Amino acid sequence: MSDQHCPSPSVLPPALVNEGEFTALVSAEVTAGGSFYRIAARQIDLSARRAADVRFEEATFAGAIMRGAVWQGATMVDVRLRGSDASNADFRQSSWQRVAWESCNLTGVNLASATLRHVRFERAKLVLAQFAHAKFADAEFRQCQLEQADFSQSDLRGVVFAGCNLTGVRLHGANLHGADLRGSDLSDLNATAADLRGAIVGAGQLLQLAPLLGVVVD
């Protein structure tokens, strides 16, 4: 890639207008089925908070703590999260559109069966993250730690992985047609050659993929 630090033009950023007028979010308000519009959450502690089917639209989170939160079926539209900790959070079956995670800790996050459209993860820690059966559209991972993440049976068509560590990532049954893996570490992928069909890689990555492809490089 010419510049792996530049967001892909196909991934739309969150549409956030006049953020200074957003209402401050109070942690006690975040409950199951709650709906929040034009809110700002700064240094808020939502650890282990259970809020299934919660909805956020036009929202910003900065320094938020969501460790172990259980927000299954959460909807996020036009949301930006910076410097936040959502490690081991449960976002299964969530639906996100125009969502950006920047410099966040998402170790062990569960996004199985989620729908992620125009979603960007940048400088995020996603070690052991669960994305099995997730559906991606116009999404990208940039400079992310994704060691041993699970993308089994997920739809990764056209997803960009730029400058990421994909060591040990599970890709069994995933659709990687048009997925751009150039510039990422592909060591010890947990996948078959068939799983990688249609993916875009650089010539320099073929040595990493040699064992998976069943070839010997002398």
Side-chain angles (χ1 to χ4, degrees):
M1 287 187 180
S2 59
D3 186 354
Q4 65 184 29
H5 300 286
C6 295
S8 168
S10 65
V11 180
L12 299 177
L16 301 166
V17 181
N18 298 326
E19 296 177 47
E21 300 175 3
F22 287 10
T23 302
L25 180 67
V26 177
S27 61
E29 297 175 340
V30 183
T31 56
S35 184
F36 303 92
Y37 176 65
R38 293 181 65 79
I39 60 95
R42 298 179 180 85
Q43 310 298 323
I44 193 170
D45 190 347
L46 297 165
S47 298
R49 180 61 54 87
R50 291 184 171 271
D53 300 316
V54 68
R55 180 182 179 89
F56 293 97
E57 186 170 354
E58 289 189 48
T60 60
F61 291 80
I65 302 173
M66 294 176 277
R67 289 191 294 264
V70 182
W71 293 3
Q72 293 182 20
T75 298
M76 291 188 184
V77 180
D78 294 317
V79 178
R80 185 180 63 233
L81 304 100
R82 288 178 172 164
S84 297
D85 186 350
S87 53
N88 298 312
D90 187 349
F91 297 129
R92 282 177 291 172
Q93 300 178 324
S94 291
S95 178
W96 297 354
Q97 183 166 337
R98 294 186 301 277
V99 175
W101 290 83
E102 302 168 0
S103 301
C104 293
N105 181 6
L106 290 147
T107 300
V109 70
N110 193 338
L111 277 157
S113 300
T115 300
L116 309 173
R117 183 172 179 80
H118 292 291
V119 174
R120 174 170 54 87
F121 297 93
E122 186 168 358
R123 298 182 304 279
K125 187 175 183 180
L126 288 148
V127 177
L128 295 170
Q130 298 293 318
F131 291 102
H133 298 276
K135 296 181 180 179
F136 292 83
D138 298 309
E140 60 185 3
F141 295 84
R142 294 190 173 272
Q143 296 179 291
C144 292
Q145 297 171 253
L146 281 153
E147 297 95 315
Q148 300 182 63
D150 187 356
F151 288 93
S152 300
Q153 304 294 327
S154 59
D155 186 347
L156 293 167
R157 286 176 292 177
V159 174
V160 173
F161 293 89
C164 296
N165 189 335
L166 302 177
T167 303
V169 164
R170 293 178 59 85
L171 293 167
H172 294 297
N175 187 337
L176 285 157
H177 185 76
D180 193 338
L181 309 181
R182 291 175 294 179
S184 290
D185 187 343
L186 307 182
S187 303
D188 299 318
L189 284 183
N190 198 333
T192 67
D195 293 323
L196 292 176
R197 187 177 292 116
I200 302 169
V201 300
Q205 293 170 302
L206 294 179
L207 186 60
Q208 292 180 314
L209 296 174
L212 188 151
L213 299 174
V215 300
V216 177
V217 179
D218 190 350

